[in-house]
Amino acid sequence: MQTEIKKEDHQEKVQTTIKKRNSFITVVFSLFLMSCNLAEFDSYKSIENHQWNSENKIEFIVSNNDTISQKNVFIHIRSNKDYEFSSLFLIAKIEFPHGFSVVDTLEYEMTDVHGKWLGTGFTELKENKLFYKENVVFSEKGDYKFNIQHATRAISDIEGKNPLKGITDVGLSIEKVK
């Protein structure tokens, strides 16, 4: 009887030690991930019913106080199996705090040459982190307004695929260059 109690006590101590060790590893890993994140801004907007109308501009407002550091700007696109094109065309606009603006027409590949979806994700949902601006310095203090809208069209669709199906979320992130 005494031996059985000692075995149970020993097993409890081992399980407690394992739980503490796992908790410690989880905390250390989380701190490591947070310290590696260079994102100064990271935000997503959900697309209602996963149908993005071409006139629906996705807007992000980013406050900037750092007028010296170089930064990379990324557009994030989350799509599901309902997205029917191999590429995505976007019109992206940056409005600077003092009125100046820059408009870019962008094309991103969403599949490889064999039709395999690019991006990350194990389910039908894929996320693509797309370079928008590289090594840019936001030289004005204040609020920058980013607008993103799609301009994807089928060959026979002069007016534009409206709505564009399969886009679940659009995001924007700004990371300080190492």
Side-chain angles (χ1 to χ4, degrees):
M1 178 94 166
Q2 190 103 21
T3 308
E4 288 179 30
I5 293 173
K6 285 184 180 181
K7 275 186 176 179
E8 289 176 6
D9 286 344
H10 179 69
Q11 287 177 338
E12 268 186 57
K13 286 180 182 178
V14 168
Q15 288 177 346
T16 302
T17 303
I18 290 172
K19 286 179 183 176
K20 285 181 180 178
R21 184 186 58 148
N22 287 345
S23 296
F24 176 75
I25 290 170
T26 301
V27 168
V28 169
F29 185 71
S30 297
L31 289 171
F32 173 75
L33 285 177
M34 288 190 298
S35 67
C36 291
N37 186 0
L38 299 172
E40 293 185 350
F41 181 85
D42 191 13
S43 182
Y44 287 82
K45 305 270 175 100
S46 293
I47 303 298
E48 188 176 341
N49 297 321
H50 307 162
Q51 296 185 13
W52 189 7
N53 293 311
S54 60
E55 64 275 355
N56 181 12
K57 296 178 184 177
I58 308 299
E59 182 176 277
F60 300 95
I61 297 176
V62 180
S63 295
N64 180 58
N65 290 319
D66 180 356
T67 60
I68 298 171
S69 302
Q70 289 185 334
K71 299 173 184 166
N72 293 327
V73 181
F74 298 93
I75 295 172
H76 298 263
I77 301 292
R78 289 182 184 147
S79 60
N80 64 26
K81 64 178 176 44
D82 295 331
Y83 188 74
E84 55 190 317
F85 299 101
S86 62
S87 59
L88 174 69
F89 291 88
L90 301 174
I91 298 171
K93 180 179 179 181
I94 304 173
E95 293 179 33
F96 291 71
H98 294 99
F100 181 73
S101 63
V102 174
V103 178
D104 295 297
T105 302
L106 310 166
E107 178 183 8
Y108 295 108
E109 295 299 318
M110 301 297 280
T111 66
D112 66 15
V113 293
H114 304 290
K116 181 179 180 259
W117 291 107
L118 301 174
T120 59
F122 296 107
T123 64
E124 71 175 35
L125 187 67
K126 298 294 182 194
E127 178 165 350
N128 290 276
K129 182 177 181 181
L130 312 167
F131 255 112
Y132 173 36
K133 296 287 184 185
E134 191 172 8
N135 296 320
V136 64
V137 175
F138 295 104
S139 57
E140 297 177 17
K141 285 186 178 186
D143 290 341
Y144 286 76
K145 189 184 298 182
F146 292 81
N147 286 301
I148 303 166
Q149 68 185 106
H150 86 82
T152 302
R153 284 151 175 52
I155 292 172
S156 62
D157 187 7
I158 297 169
E159 297 299 315
K161 184 77 173 167
N162 213 0
L164 183 61
K165 296 177 184 170
I167 302 296
T168 63
D169 302 277
V170 177
L172 183 81
S173 67
I174 300 175
E175 299 176 4
K176 193 178 274 192
V177 175
K178 296 179 189 178

